[in-house]
């Protein structure tokens, strides 16, 4: 089965950049998406097709992919960005990474 | 605007079945597959499968094969996910989601908590 690996947690100070990675075999040959989920809420799509932002998502969210690793970068992280972040791709179905808990402190 | 409204929380006994609904509005119901995910408390997202509102074709994650059934009723723009032989490990929030505009899940239901106890 196909797996996506994310770091379980990441802490950043307000105003710093947060970089969350997602690794999977030949992930660069697929499309990666990223979702933000705050406690008690449904996930929200923040990046699709590796690097595109849906309308309404702030410009500080960006995505990239290189080789086997997709990266979500939040520039100028704000307190409101504190959430769990999940990467997602397709391989014989929908695959989610294990999630990264981003703490802004 | 696109809305997916799910049925309310359920409490089930082990061995029972649960059927969660997802009522769609704001778009053409038959145009987009409905996917179902779940999230065990404190854990990550897990994909369960999809149903095509147009054809009622389905595709299920292997670990749920034989235990999950996804259907739809186009007359009321509603999709359903039924999970049988419930155990405590099925206690989770169940979500429906669709990919309308960008090929990824840009619209989600509010989630339905299913407690097996």
């Amino acid at each position: 089965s196909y797996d996506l690996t994310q770091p379980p947690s990441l802490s950043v100070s307000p105003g710093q950049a947060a970089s969350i990675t997602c690794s999977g075999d030949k992930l660069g040959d697929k499309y990666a998406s990223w979702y933000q989920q705050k406690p008690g809420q449904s996930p929200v799509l923040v990046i699709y097709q590796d690097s595109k932002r849906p309308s309404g998502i702030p410009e500080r969210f960006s995505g990239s992919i290189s080789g086997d690793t997709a990266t979500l970068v939040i520039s100028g992280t704000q307190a409101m960005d504190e959430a769990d972040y999940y990467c997602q791709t397709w391989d014989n179905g929908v695959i989610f990474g294990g999630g990264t808990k981003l703490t802004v402190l | 605007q696109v809305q997916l409204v799910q049925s309310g929380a359920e409490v089930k006994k082990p061995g029972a079945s649960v059927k969660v609904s997802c009522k769609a509005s704001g778009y053409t119901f038959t145009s987009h597959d409905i996917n179902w995910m779940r999230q065990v408390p404190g854990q990550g997202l897990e994909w369960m499968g999809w149903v095509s509102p147009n054809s009622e074709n389905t595709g299920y994650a292997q670990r749920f094969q034989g235990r999950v059934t996804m259907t739809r009723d186009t007359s009321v723009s509603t999709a359903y996910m039924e999970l049988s032989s419930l155990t405590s490990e099925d206690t989770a929030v169940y979500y429906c989601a669709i990919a309308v505009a960008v090929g990824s899940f840009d619209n989600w239901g509010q989630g339905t908590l299913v407690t097996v106890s």
Side-chain angles (χ1 to χ4, degrees), chain A residues 33 35 37 42 48 86 90 94, chain B residues 39 47 95 102-105 109:
Chain A
S33 302
Y35 300 86
Q37 186 180 33
S42 301
Y48 67 99
Y86 296 91
W90 291 266
V94 176
Chain B
Q39 187 170 37
W47 177 72
Y95 294 101
V102 299
S104 299
F105 301 120

Side-chain angles (χ1 to χ4, degrees), chain B residues 44-63:
Chain B
L45 296 165
E46 180 178 28
W47 177 72
M48 300 179 70
W50 59 270
V51 58
S52 166
N54 190 39
S55 64
E56 208 162 26
N57 286 344
T58 55
Y60 302 139
Q62 191 167 6
R63 66 168 291 179

Side-chain angles (χ1 to χ4, degrees), chain B residues 5 13 21 26 33 56 61-63 73 77 86 104 114 116:
Chain B
V5 179
K13 297 212 178 292
S21 66
D33 295 346
E56 208 162 26
Q62 191 167 6
R63 66 168 291 179
D73 183 343
S77 299
L86 293 169
S104 299
V114 175
V116 183

Side-chain angles (χ1 to χ4, degrees), chain A residues 29-59:
Chain A
D29 294 342
K30 312 175 192 295
Y31 273 139
S33 302
W34 290 91
Y35 300 86
Q36 175 194 69
Q37 186 180 33
K38 297 181 179 179
Q41 298 184 17
S42 301
V44 173
L45 179 68
V46 294
I47 293 289
Y48 67 99
Q49 290 180 12
D50 301 335
S51 59
K52 298 178 181 178
R53 266 181 299 105
S55 63
I57 300 301
E59 289 185 10

